[in-house]
Amino acid sequence: MAEAARAKYKVGGMDCASCAAKIDTAVRRIAGVEDVSVSVTAGTMTISHNGTSDLKAIEKKVTGLGYSVLPMPAKAPDHDQAAQGHNHDQADHDHHGHIHPEKDITDLHGHDHGQIGGFWWQSRKGRLTIAAGAALAAAYAAGHLMPAIAPYAFVAAVLIGLVPIARRAISAALSGTPFSIETLMTVAAVGAVIIDAGEEAAAVVFLFLVGELLEGVAAGRARASIQSLTALVPKNALLEENGQTREVPAGTLTVGSTILVRPGDRISADGVIVSGESAIDEAPVTGESVPVRKGRDDTVFAGTVNGDGALRIKVTAASADNTIARVIKLVEEAQESKAPTERFIDRFSRYYTPGVVAAAALVAIVPPLLGAGTWEEWIYKGLAILLIGCPCALVISTPAAIAASLSAGARRGLLMKGGAVLETLGKVTAVALDKTGTLTEGKPRVTDIVPFELKEAQVLSRAAVLERNSNHPLALAILDRAKSDKVPVPPAFEVEAVPGKGMTGRVGGERLDLLSPSAARATGALTVEQGERIAALNVQGKSVSVLLVDGKTAGFIAMRDEPRGDAKAGLKMLTDAGVRIVMLTGDNERTARAIGEQLGIDVRAELMPGDKQRIVGELKREGFIVAKVGDGINDAPALAAADVGIAMAGGTDVALETADAAVLHGRVGDVAAMIELSKRTMRNIFENIAIALGLKAVFLVTTVIGLTGLWPAILADTGATVLVTLNALRLLRPVR
C-alpha cells in the first residue's frame, strides 16, 4: 500500500477545542482526505491524503469557517526558524506540527493577537469588533437625532457584525457542524430583528464579538509562556573549525560541532562542556533560580545563559532536537491528547447544544399556543435562552485549564505529554522510583577517606596521581574530590593499570598502588582490623580502594553513588501526600539497602527490566494508581507499564520517548510537585464547569420568569467564558 501524502498548514484564529473540532469535521468530509490532525497550540493542521484531494478546496473550506490558512513548507525555509528549534520534516515524530516564531504568526483572529502576533486591533476579528461597536454607536446617535430612522440604523449595525458571523455559521453547517456557536448567535440576532428588537440585536452582536475577543486574548496568555520559549535560543553561534572561530546560524550546527560561548551569551545548543568553567543561569529552561556552577564534561541546555567564564561546548543535539524544541514538542503533543474530562465535555456539548435549540423552540412556541402570553413575548424569551445556551464557556472550561497547567508545568521543568497524563497524575497512589540517576546522582562520590600514618589530603593526593588519566567512574570521583579539596596532584611515572586489581606507579621515589580490597588482601598488606573496617564500609554500600605506599597500607578511599540533595525531602513530600513509595533497582542488595535506609524508602533490588515491569503490574493489581520514575533503558518497560511513566532529566532517549512525563531538572521533589499541579488543575476544571453551568442555570430561570432578556443573556455567556478562562489562568501563578 502506498504511503499517504501529507500536507501541513498554518491556521490562524483557533482558540479552543471547538475551533479545532469544526475544522477537523469540515476537512474530513473532503474527498481523498484520510486523516486530519489539528493542533490548537501550534496553530497548525496536518492532513494525510491519497493524492487526489483538492488542496485548494481544503484551504477554501478552512477560510470559509473564518480562519486564516497558509501552506507550510516541508523544511524550514531559513535559518531563523531552524535556530528556534523547529523540525518541519521529522516523519517519525512530527504528527502535530510545531510552534513557530512570533514573526510567522500573522493574520490571527483577535483572540490571539493580544498576545502573540501583534495588537488585537490589528487582527481581522479586532477590526470587525471595532466596526460593530462604531456602527452601534452611530445607530444610537442617528436614532437620537432622527428617531424615524432608528430601526433601520440598528438593522444596519446588526448586519455589519452579523454577516461575517452568519457566513461562518453557514459554512460550518454545510461542513457538518450545524449547531455551532455562530449558528445560535445568527438565529438569535435575526429573530430579535424580526420581533422589532433591533437595538438589542445590534448590542448583542457587538457583545458577542467583544466576548470572543476577550476569550481569545485570555486564552493567548495561557499559551504565551510556551511560545516564548522559541525566542530563548539565539539565532547565531560561534563555531570553532581548524582553530578559527566564525559566526554561523545556530540552526546549521551539527552534532559533534564545537562552539564557543562567551560570558553573558545565551548557549545556542544542547551540549557538553569541553573546556572552561562558569555559572550557568538555567532559569529560562528549568526555573532554577540559582545559577549552577558547571565545568568540563557537564551538560548544558540550549537557551540557558552563560555567566562569568568562556566555554567551549561540544554540540550533542541538532536545533530541532534540543531541550527547547523537545519541551515545545511535548507540550504540543500534550494538548493534542485530550483528558478524559475534556472528552466528556466534548461529548456532552454535542448533545447539549441541540438540546438548547430544542428547549428554546419549545419556550417560544408552546406557551403562546396554550394562551399563556403573546408570541412576541415568548419568542423573545426563546431567543434569550438560545444565547444563554451557547456552549462557549462549557467547551473551553477544560482545555483552558489544561493549557494553562501544561504551560505552568513546562516553565518549572515539569513536562506532561497529554491532558490524560495530567489528569491521571492527580490520582497516583504509589510511586516506584529507580535508584541510580533518579534517587541518586548517578555517579559515585568520595564519602570517606581513612588514613593510616598519612594525613587525609596526602592519601587523596597520592590516589589522584594514579587516577589522573583514567575515565573510570571511581577514578573520576577521586579526581573530583581532589579538585574540590584543592590538594596537589604531582606528575607520576611508570603509571599502569593492573587488570582486575587497580593502578600502580611511582611518585617522588615512592611506589604507589591503588588496589581493590581483594587485590590488597592478596599482598598481605591488610591487617584484620583494616579488613573489618573495609567490611563495615561495604555494608554501607560503599566501594573501597586501598592505597599502598611502598607496600604498606596508607589509607582507604570509600566511594558511593550518593542520594540527590533533595531526594529525602522530595520523598517526604510524596509520603505526606499519602503516596506509597518504593525503590526498584538493578543494583546489588547491599548498596540498595544502604541508600534505602538513608532515604527511608522500601527497597526491591537486583531486578532485571522485566522484574521492574512485573512489580509495577503487581502494584496496579493491588489497586494502586502507579507512577514509575526512571532514567535508563532498563526502566523503559516499567515506564510503559505504569499508569504514568515519568523520566528524569539526563535520562536516555528511550526512557524519554517511553515516558508520559519528564522532570527536566531532575529533582525528586518535582514528582510531588507534578502530582500537586494535577490536583490543582482538576479542582480548577470542576470550578470552571460549575461556573459555566451555574450561570446558565441562573439566567435560564430568570429569563423564563421574565426578569432578564437578550442583553443579560449574552453578558452571561460572555461573562462565563471570560470567568472560566481567567480562573484557568490562575494555574500559571507560581506556587510557593
Side-chain angles (χ1 to χ4, degrees):
M1 183 183 290
E3 188 176 340
R6 295 171 72 244
K8 284 182 174 181
Y9 298 90
K10 190 180 304 175
V11 181
M14 293 187 292
D15 289 331
C16 63
S18 61
C19 296
K22 271 189 288 190
I23 294 172
D24 188 293
T25 301
V27 175
R28 281 184 191 277
R29 293 161 69 99
I30 295 175
V33 173
E34 296 178 354
D35 192 25
V36 182
S37 178
V38 184
S39 169
V40 177
T41 318
T44 60
M45 173 178 68
T46 304
I47 298 168
S48 295
H49 59 95
N50 61 14
T52 64
S53 297
D54 184 345
L55 298 183
K56 290 296 179 185
I58 291 173
E59 294 176 29
K60 187 176 180 182
K61 180 68 72 176
V62 176
T63 304
L65 292 172
Y67 306 97
S68 63
V69 62
L70 188 68
M72 287 171 57
K75 292 185 182 289
D78 55 49
H79 294 308
D80 287 353
Q81 286 190 350
Q84 300 197 42
H86 306 298
N87 183 1
H88 296 278
D89 191 26
Q90 194 173 1
D92 312 299
H93 310 295
D94 192 2
H95 300 298
H96 306 300
H98 286 72
I99 293 176
H100 295 272
E102 295 184 11
K103 66 185 179 64
D104 287 331
I105 303 177
T106 54
D107 195 29
L108 300 183
H109 281 34
H111 306 25
D112 294 333
H113 269 306
Q115 292 298 326
I116 346 172
F119 298 107
W120 64 266
W121 58 81
Q122 296 172 323
S123 67
R124 187 192 314 169
K125 189 59 70 68
R127 291 194 298 269
L128 178 60
T129 304
I130 292 170
L136 180 61
Y140 270 114
H144 183 71
L145 296 174
M146 294 175 284
I149 68 165
Y152 306 104
F154 282 114
V155 169
V158 169
L159 292 175
I160 287 173
L162 189 63
V163 168
I165 296 171
R167 286 177 58 192
R168 283 158 54 193
I170 293 167
S171 182
L174 293 174
S175 302
T177 312
F179 295 107
S180 65
I181 294 165
E182 289 84 0
T183 301
L184 301 185
M185 185 65 236
T186 303
V187 171
V190 170
V193 169
I194 291 172
I195 61 172
D196 293 327
E199 180 179 342
E200 290 193 68
V204 163
V205 169
F206 173 64
L207 288 171
F208 174 79
L209 293 173
V210 169
E212 271 203 317
L213 200 59
L214 289 174
E215 171 191 327
V217 169
R221 279 192 59 198
R223 289 183 237 158
S225 62
I226 294 302
Q227 291 166 333
S228 67
L229 287 172
T230 60
L232 290 178
V233 182
K235 294 181 180 180
N236 299 313
L238 293 174
L239 177 67
E240 276 193 7
E241 281 182 329
N242 304 319
Q244 301 293 316
T245 302
R246 62 188 178 93
E247 190 167 320
V248 299
T252 64
L253 293 175
T254 56
V255 175
S257 302
T258 300
I259 57 173
L260 174 67
V261 182
R262 298 167 299 196
D265 284 356
R266 279 193 187 275
I267 296 172
S268 52
D270 284 4
V272 173
I273 297 174
V274 176
S275 66
E277 185 177 326
S278 182
I280 308 294
D281 179 6
E282 297 186 335
V285 176
T286 66
E288 181 67 25
S289 57
V290 179
V292 181
R293 198 81 194 171
K294 294 198 174 186
R296 183 175 176 175
D297 296 330
D298 286 332
T299 301
V300 292
F301 301 131
T304 55
V305 182
N306 184 22
D308 49 11
L311 299 174
R312 291 175 63 246
I313 296 169
K314 183 179 180 181
V315 176
T316 57
S319 63
D321 298 314
N322 66 29
T323 300
I324 300 294
R326 289 205 313 270
V327 169
I328 293 168
K329 181 173 178 284
L330 282 170
V331 176
E332 288 174 11
E333 289 177 349
Q335 294 196 330
E336 292 302 305
S337 173
K338 292 184 178 182
T341 304
E342 187 173 355
R343 290 195 291 267
F344 165 75
I345 291 297
D346 286 347
R347 290 196 303 270
F348 179 76
S349 62
R350 202 174 300 139
Y351 298 104
Y352 166 86
T353 306
V356 166
V357 173
L362 289 173
V363 167
I365 295 169
V366 173
L369 285 177
L370 298 177
T374 65
W375 282 96
E376 183 176 326
E377 173 193 352
W378 285 102
I379 288 174
Y380 182 91
K381 289 181 179 179
L383 295 172
I385 288 171
L386 206 60
L387 292 178
I388 291 167
C390 281
C392 306
L394 192 62
V395 170
I396 204 174
S397 60
T398 301
I402 286 174
S405 185
L406 292 169
S407 300
R411 296 300 286 180
R412 294 167 60 189
L414 314 177
L415 311 180
M416 291 154 280
K417 291 185 181 179
V421 175
L422 180 61
E423 183 167 335
T424 305
L425 272 164
K427 302 173 185 174
V428 164
T429 53
V431 176
L433 303 103
D434 180 40
K435 181 182 79 70
T436 307
T438 298
L439 290 173
T440 64
E441 295 177 358
K443 55 184 179 181
R445 299 281 185 195
V446 172
T447 57
D448 304 85
I449 301 174
V450 183
F452 299 105
E453 299 179 5
L454 300 178
K455 294 180 179 178
E456 278 192 20
Q458 291 173 317
V459 172
L460 181 61
S461 176
R462 283 162 173 76
V465 164
L466 295 175
E467 300 283 27
R468 67 185 304 165
N469 294 317
S470 174
N471 286 319
H472 189 280
L474 296 181
L476 294 175
I478 291 171
L479 292 169
D480 284 345
R481 178 63 178 265
K483 182 179 178 181
S484 64
D485 287 3
K486 297 179 180 173
V487 302
V489 184
F493 303 95
E494 303 174 25
V495 174
E496 61 177 330
V498 182
K501 295 182 179 180
M503 304 290 292
T504 183
R506 301 188 70 84
V507 178
E510 293 180 336
R511 176 181 171 79
L512 303 179
D513 298 283
L514 189 64
L515 305 174
S516 66
S518 59
R521 195 173 288 113
T523 68
L526 290 180
T527 66
V528 174
E529 182 183 1
Q530 289 169 345
E532 291 173 350
R533 188 75 177 269
I534 291 172
L537 291 168
N538 288 156
V539 168
Q540 297 172 29
K542 297 172 181 177
S543 299
V544 179
S545 293
V546 180
L547 178 70
L548 305 183
V549 177
D550 293 330
K552 294 183 179 180
T553 303
F556 304 151
I557 296 180
M559 290 157 281
R560 185 172 67 182
D561 181 11
E562 288 292 270
R564 292 178 182 270
D566 78 311
K568 194 164 188 175
L571 293 176
K572 186 176 186 301
M573 290 169 66
L574 288 170
T575 54
D576 288 349
V579 176
R580 177 181 170 182
I581 54 174
V582 61
M583 179 201 295
L584 305 182
T585 178
D587 209 344
N588 69 74
E589 184 84 23
R590 186 176 60 196
T591 302
R593 291 284 173 202
I595 296 293
E597 287 173 10
Q598 192 174 343
L599 295 177
I601 182 174
D602 289 340
V603 173
R604 304 286 293 274
E606 300 181 3
L607 303 174
M608 298 297 287
D611 297 325
K612 294 183 180 183
Q613 185 181 27
R614 173 179 52 77
I615 293 169
V616 166
E618 289 172 359
L619 288 169
K620 290 172 71 174
R621 284 191 292 276
E622 289 174 28
F624 290 99
I625 305 296
V626 183
K628 174 66 177 75
V629 187
D631 71 331
I633 292 173
N634 62 349
D635 293 305
L639 289 170
D643 294 292
V644 182
I646 303 172
M648 294 295 273
T652 63
D653 289 342
V654 174
L656 291 169
E657 288 293 328
T658 308
D660 303 299
V663 176
L664 186 62
H665 203 264
R667 292 179 295 217
V668 178
D670 282 352
V671 177
M674 199 179 268
I675 292 173
E676 176 54 32
L677 178 62
S678 169
K679 290 178 177 177
R680 283 181 61 214
T681 305
M682 295 313 298
R683 285 196 298 269
N684 191 283
I685 286 170
F686 288 123
E687 288 166 4
N688 285 348
I689 293 172
I691 291 169
L693 291 179
L695 273 173
K696 290 181 187 302
V698 168
F699 279 90
L700 186 67
V701 172
T702 57
T703 298
V704 170
I705 64 177
L707 291 179
T708 54
L710 287 176
W711 285 47
I714 194 67
L715 283 172
D717 178 62
T718 300
T721 302
V722 173
L723 281 175
V724 160
T725 307
L726 292 177
N727 186 49
L729 291 177
R730 291 192 304 118
L731 291 166
L732 288 172
R733 294 191 312 212
V735 179
R736 296 295 175 195

